Amino acid sequence: MKKVYLIIVLVIVNLFLLCGKIYSNKLKNINLKLKEDEIAVVILSLQDSKSLLVKAQDIYLLYTFSYENSKNLENNVALFTEKVDYVFMNEEYPLSYPYKIQLDELTVIQNIQLEPNRLHYNNYTFCINEKENCDFIYLTKEIGDIQQKSTIFYDEFLAQEYIESFHDDWIDVYKITNESYTILVLGNDFEIIHLDQ
């Protein structure tokens, strides 16, 4: 009988160790390794904020364009970096980061041109809810027909009929959820990386 208890205890201990190992393999830190001429644009679509986290060489820029509170935002940014060098906002949001700037005109940092709802780098233009002269468009709302060939990222709550209309025009579309990270790497070419939490 003692052997049966010993086996049961060993099985339970092994299950706890296995569960601990599985939990520890979840995303803790994401290290973006880029070439010298590349930047990474991480789309952070959270329940309480929408932001872009941009890594360029040895700096991080945070551009927040929709905000209710920062609880989830800071935790998600911390997966990529401990220090955000520049914080830009469409409006004056109560973010806890120092050196916040309300973005109302063109700002250039290390060849990245940032203006309200647009980011330009290496002949690419990333737009937020805009469609004119954009290579990449991030949609958080419907903005009508998109005639040009752009790569579209869209929030998961947008109407499926609206998104399906882009398939008819052979436009590449990528769904953005708050359970995953979509990373756009821009250089001489571009690459899209999708990471689940």
Side-chain angles (χ1 to χ4, degrees), residues 6-7 9 12-14 20 31 34 38 51 53 57 77 82 105 108 116-117 120 125 143 155 158 162 168 187 191 197:
L6 180 62
I7 291 172
V9 168
I12 291 171
V13 168
N14 281 329
N31 188 6
L34 303 170
E38 291 180 331
S51 301
L53 179 65
Q57 296 172 9
V77 169
E82 295 176 2
E105 61 183 6
V108 180
N117 298 320
H120 309 276
T125 302
I143 60 171
D155 273 346
L158 286 178
Y162 180 62
D168 296 339
E191 178 182 5
Q197 287 186 14

Side-chain angles (χ1 to χ4, degrees), residues 7-174:
I7 291 172
I8 291 172
V9 168
L10 288 174
V11 167
I12 291 171
V13 168
N14 281 329
L15 283 174
F16 279 116
L17 290 174
L18 178 64
C19 289
K21 191 167 200 154
I22 289 170
Y23 178 75
S24 70
N25 285 336
K26 288 194 171 213
L27 291 177
K28 289 183 181 175
N29 286 55
I30 301 170
N31 188 6
L32 299 172
K33 296 190 184 272
L34 303 170
K35 296 177 185 170
E36 191 173 315
D37 63 338
E38 291 180 331
I39 67 167
V41 179
V42 182
I43 302 171
L44 297 174
S45 177
L46 309 172
Q47 290 178 341
D48 50 12
S49 66
K50 307 267 185 238
S51 301
L52 301 178
L53 179 65
V54 181
K55 180 182 196 261
Q57 296 172 9
D58 57 346
I59 65 163
Y60 279 89
L61 303 146
L62 179 65
Y63 174 41
T64 301
F65 51 91
S66 174
Y67 179 85
E68 291 174 26
N69 73 55
S70 64
K71 183 181 87 175
N72 288 331
L73 178 61
E74 292 173 5
N75 291 339
N76 280 276
V77 169
L79 287 173
F80 295 90
T81 183
E82 295 176 2
K83 179 180 176 251
V84 176
D85 300 288
Y86 302 94
V87 178
F88 298 97
M89 308 170 290
N90 273 4
E91 299 175 23
E92 190 64 38
Y93 302 127
L95 296 171
S96 64
Y97 296 106
Y99 313 115
K100 301 174 289 196
I101 300 169
Q102 186 171 342
L103 189 63
D104 54 6
E105 61 183 6
L106 180 67
T107 302
V108 180
I109 298 174
Q110 291 190 2
N111 295 326
I112 300 169
Q113 299 175 13
L114 195 60
E115 58 184 315
N117 298 320
R118 287 182 178 262
L119 180 147
H120 309 276
Y121 180 76
N122 203 20
N123 297 322
Y124 290 112
T125 302
F126 184 99
C127 301
I128 301 162
N129 296 324
E130 295 182 1
K131 57 187 176 181
E132 298 301 320
N133 303 317
C134 302
D135 300 297
F136 305 96
I137 302 172
Y138 176 35
L139 297 174
T140 63
K141 62 183 180 181
E142 294 184 22
I143 60 171
D145 291 338
I146 297 174
Q147 302 298 325
Q148 66 187 45
K149 295 292 184 204
S150 301
T151 300
I152 296 176
F153 303 94
Y154 68 95
D155 273 346
E156 60 187 323
F157 63 84
L158 286 178
Q160 194 60 36
E161 300 81 35
Y162 180 62
I163 300 305
E164 287 174 1
S165 69
F166 300 128
H167 294 294
D168 296 339
D169 295 328
W170 295 93
I171 296 175
D172 290 336
V173 293
Y174 296 89

Side-chain angles (χ1 to χ4, degrees), residues 32 181-185 191-195:
L32 299 172
Y181 301 100
T182 301
I183 304 166
L184 173 64
V185 178
E191 178 182 5
I192 298 168
I193 302 167
H194 185 79
L195 300 174

